[in-house]
Amino acid sequence: MEDLIRPIYQERASHRNTLGILMIEKKFNNSAITDTFDVVLLVIVKEADCPVFSKHYTAKGQKAALYVVSEEKLNEWLLLGSNRKVIDWVFNGKVLFDRNEYVQQLRNRMLEFPEEARRLKMGVEFAKLIRRYTDGKVFLETKQLLDAYNHVVHALHHLARLAVIEKGFYPEITVWNQVKQIDAQIYKLYEELVGSDEPLDKRLELLFLASEFLIHSRIPSGSAHLLKVLKQQEGAWSIGEIVGHPELEVYSVDLVIMLEYLVDKHVLVVEERSTKGQHVFHRYYKVADH
């Protein structure tokens, strides 16, 4: 197959904008890694008008997919985990072209997983975890059990990824294989959720109780990045200042629910400031003094 796609990647390698090209071949026991294609070509470019561009090819009964991805979009995927296949592709793909060892350096950074990047990724996962846990708990309280189940499964996935990141690893697609080695307690919760013979409502009640303890124990690691940003200025922040801060944009819609969770746990405190309306106050947030 490499001979068949050689003209495609050789043309891309000749572009000065191309940083690296990787080839990912379909695995016998896991065709999902390439979306059932026989081979995927991942081309990383410095800049692009379109952050993700793709083409599909057929040759001698086999099919190939080409993805041209900007460096900015690739870094976003690696940070947010919004395209987890790419982590596997970057780690395990065969390097066909590597300008100035770009791919090798990228792999080294991922293996080293610098503290600042780790702290930010933990914050994003923690915010998503709080969102799923909080919404799921409401569904449980209103007896919407299947919606509650869906949310607690997602919450456990975020908790699992958080545990993996805490240990200095990138969460992979097969995150539960990683968690089984890293945090047996979280893995056991997942097993109980999907494999227990208990009625669904009882399973969910137990899971939400256990999750509450595990989430609470992750507050220091999960909130470290947010608190570091909030300590950059003296005094309290308005919600507009927080959501508009460039370092916090990646939290997206999960930021507000995370703030309120941290207020509830006395990690943040609310400062009220007068408005023109009588008995109406602005809410400002600041890190609690401990």
Side-chain angles (χ1 to χ4, degrees):
M1 191 64 183
E2 188 174 342
D3 291 336
L4 295 173
I5 62 173
R6 183 172 285 114
I8 302 169
Y9 74 74
Q10 283 183 339
E11 181 204 346
R12 296 285 172 179
S14 67
H15 297 171
R16 294 183 63 184
N17 194 37
T18 300
L19 298 172
I21 302 176
L22 297 110
M23 180 179 72
I24 304 91
E25 295 184 272
K26 181 169 71 176
K27 296 178 182 177
F28 175 72
N29 60 347
N30 185 7
S31 62
I33 196 67
T34 58
D35 295 328
T36 75
F37 280 77
D38 295 289
V39 66
V40 167
L41 277 179
L42 177 65
V43 180
I44 307 164
V45 296
K46 184 70 178 171
E47 294 172 335
D49 294 333
C50 179
V52 184
F53 169 78
S54 61
K55 278 189 176 182
H56 291 173
Y57 301 89
T58 301
K60 295 185 178 179
Q62 293 187 300
K63 53 184 182 177
L66 167 73
Y67 292 94
V68 182
V69 181
S70 70
E71 183 181 24
E72 183 180 5
K73 175 56 73 172
L74 177 66
N75 287 332
E76 178 191 311
W77 283 343
L78 295 178
L79 171 64
L80 300 181
S82 50
N83 189 344
R84 293 199 307 281
K85 282 190 181 78
V86 169
I87 295 171
D88 191 286
W89 292 358
V90 172
F91 265 134
N92 301 315
K94 180 180 178 181
V95 179
L96 302 178
F97 174 75
D98 194 6
R99 190 182 301 280
N100 301 324
E101 297 186 331
Y102 173 85
V103 176
Q104 187 56 53
Q105 290 172 17
L106 176 61
R107 284 175 169 175
N108 289 342
R109 284 200 308 275
M110 292 173 70
L111 287 169
E112 292 163 6
F113 210 170
E115 184 181 351
E116 190 58 35
R118 200 159 68 237
R119 188 184 289 153
L120 173 54
K121 198 164 175 62
M122 283 192 290
V124 171
E125 287 293 346
F126 188 71
K128 292 178 185 296
L129 168 59
I130 298 303
R131 164 68 65 192
R132 288 293 189 170
Y133 172 80
T134 305
D135 290 355
K137 201 170 179 185
V138 172
F139 284 129
L140 178 62
E141 288 165 356
T142 54
K143 305 299 181 185
Q144 298 178 70
L145 299 185
L146 291 178
D147 288 309
Y149 180 89
N150 179 44
H151 276 70
V152 79
V153 167
H154 280 285
L156 285 174
H157 272 274
H158 291 304
L159 192 58
R161 287 199 282 272
L162 192 52
V164 170
I165 298 164
E166 280 180 332
K167 295 295 184 182
F169 302 106
Y170 263 82
E172 297 169 8
I173 296 171
T174 53
V175 70
W176 289 108
N177 286 340
Q178 289 177 291
V179 173
K180 194 172 184 179
Q181 313 299 323
I182 288 170
D183 196 314
Q185 192 175 9
I186 296 175
Y187 186 82
K188 190 169 185 295
L189 278 182
Y190 186 70
E191 279 193 319
E192 287 176 1
L193 177 66
V194 299
S196 172
D197 293 329
E198 287 281 328
L200 183 55
D201 58 341
K202 297 298 180 189
R203 264 186 285 166
L204 290 171
E205 286 171 11
L206 289 171
L207 259 294
F208 275 103
L209 276 174
S211 297
E212 187 167 1
F213 169 76
L214 289 173
I215 294 169
H216 191 270
S217 69
R218 252 86 191 180
I219 289 175
S221 60
S223 64
H225 175 258
L226 173 63
L227 300 186
K228 181 175 179 251
V229 173
L230 295 182
K231 288 175 181 176
Q232 288 176 2
Q233 77 174 30
E234 289 290 327
W237 296 61
S238 71
I239 186 61
E241 290 172 326
I242 295 173
V243 298
H245 194 283
E247 289 184 56
L248 301 177
E249 287 176 353
V250 292
Y251 288 82
S252 187
V253 295
D254 302 312
L255 182 55
V256 171
I257 197 79
M258 180 178 174
L259 289 173
E260 294 308 313
Y261 177 83
L262 294 176
V263 168
D264 185 56
K265 301 302 179 185
H266 310 293
V267 177
L268 298 177
V269 294
V270 171
E271 186 179 288
E272 294 183 345
R273 297 187 185 176
S274 300
T275 68
K276 292 177 182 176
Q278 195 173 11
H279 308 304
V280 179
F281 301 90
H282 291 296
R283 281 169 67 96
Y284 279 68
Y285 300 85
K286 67 178 182 179
V287 180
D289 297 321
H290 290 295

